[in-house]
Amino acid sequence: MRLDSLVDFLDKTLRVADFDSDSAMNGLQVECSRNITRVATTVDACEESIARAAGSGAELLIVHHGLFWGEASPLTGVMGRRIGLLFSKGVSLYAAHLPLDCHEDIGNNIGLARLLEIEDPRPFGVYRGIKIGLEGKPPRRTTLRALSARLKKNLGDSPKTFPFGPSEIKRLGIVSGGGSSLVQQAKEGGCDTLHTGETTHSVTPTAREAKINLVCAGHSATETPGVRSLCELIEGEFGLPSKFIDIPTGL
């Protein structure tokens, strides 16, 4: 399959043109191979993910966290080695940051909501002018402990839990990755618990004073649903073999 045809499909499916406010560069970041026979996906663009993509025979690596953020970076050091590896291995790079967080069908947050069987998930939480998260009701009596156990079973490591709210969850907010800054919006939206990837020191007092639980299941882990879904989508649409590469960061 031609690279430009697959990129066009991804751009339209993920509506990358609607995310000008994103701090990341979305879309095709590095063009190498123009003919695609295999695809790999992962959370982060790094030397290991590029090498493993090439080792799997993929000519296109799709990531959530790409190489280019904000102002242009010199192609030296770590950045230079990553770019050099892409070209030497003939692997093109495509990135989807916010478009993959909040996509209604294949996004990270809808993936987490399905995993947790959230009833009637609805958009919430404005970040850079975009409603990025989801909120909804757990399917039955769900305790903070039960939620943590379910996340551990499906995502890997035990979540870090800050039990500042009730032990039984009535309404849950979901924002993948580093979404703890939306804790006040979650509280104002009627949530008693916010599930995200990781938090920061400055957010903790706000959560405690707002009496809302924080459940942090890992930045990397909570952003695997989207790139996993892209594998299934690409295989289903085009019959291209697609492989998810799991490289946990421990955060």
Side-chain angles (χ1 to χ4, degrees):
M1 180 176 186
R2 287 178 56 87
L3 173 65
D4 55 2
S5 297
L6 184 51
V7 167
D8 184 59
F9 169 79
L10 292 169
D11 285 348
K12 290 177 179 176
T13 299
L14 296 168
R15 300 189 296 275
V16 297
D18 296 341
F19 292 85
D20 290 342
S21 63
D22 199 345
S23 58
M25 175 185 175
N26 293 300
L28 187 65
Q29 293 194 345
V30 179
E31 180 181 354
C32 295
S33 297
R34 295 186 178 181
N35 186 50
I36 308 301
T37 62
R38 289 180 178 271
V39 173
T41 72
T42 193
V43 174
D44 301 298
C46 60
E47 289 186 55
E48 182 179 355
S49 63
I50 296 166
R52 287 175 61 179
S56 74
E59 299 93 357
L60 176 64
L61 176 61
I62 303 173
V63 300
H64 182 52
H65 299 139
L67 296 179
F68 303 111
W69 302 75
E71 296 182 1
S73 301
L75 302 184
T76 59
V78 169
M79 181 68 84
R81 290 194 297 274
R82 291 172 176 173
I83 295 291
L85 192 57
L86 286 166
F87 278 104
S88 68
K89 298 295 186 180
V91 178
S92 296
L93 180 71
Y94 185 98
H97 185 229
L98 294 186
L100 197 54
D101 280 318
C102 60
H103 195 277
E104 66 274 12
D105 293 322
I106 57 173
N108 291 320
N109 292 318
I110 190 62
L112 294 170
R114 288 169 180 155
L115 183 154
L116 297 171
E117 299 180 1
I118 299 302
E119 298 176 3
D120 190 26
R122 301 177 181 180
F124 104 97
V126 177
Y127 176 75
R128 291 183 175 267
I130 299 164
K131 280 196 174 181
I132 189 173
L134 292 172
E135 58 87 15
K137 180 181 177 183
R140 20 182 200 282
R141 185 178 182 272
T142 301
T143 64
L144 197 57
R145 179 176 294 182
L147 177 70
S148 296
R150 190 179 185 95
L151 289 168
K152 179 181 179 180
K153 179 181 178 181
N154 287 278
L155 297 180
D157 293 339
S158 297
K160 182 156 184 71
T161 302
F162 298 84
F164 300 141
S167 60
E168 183 177 343
I169 301 169
K170 300 293 187 182
R171 199 151 195 91
L172 178 69
I174 300 173
V175 185
S176 61
S180 65
S181 61
L182 275 68
V183 66
Q184 187 63 40
Q185 291 189 50
K187 180 66 176 183
E188 292 169 356
C191 297
D192 52 51
T193 304
L194 176 64
H195 164 44
T196 187
E198 61 177 322
T199 188
T200 63
H201 169 80
S202 60
V203 169
T204 308
T206 301
R208 180 186 292 114
E209 291 164 17
K211 296 181 173 56
I212 181 171
N213 300 310
L214 274 177
V215 180
C216 303
H219 194 131
S220 179
T222 59
E223 294 188 325
T224 60
V227 286
R228 285 182 182 273
S229 293
L230 277 175
C231 279
E232 298 174 6
L233 178 65
I234 291 169
E235 284 197 349
E237 288 285 331
F238 306 108
L240 287 176
S242 302
K243 179 181 180 180
F244 167 69
I245 298 172
D246 193 17
I247 306 178
T249 62
L251 293 174

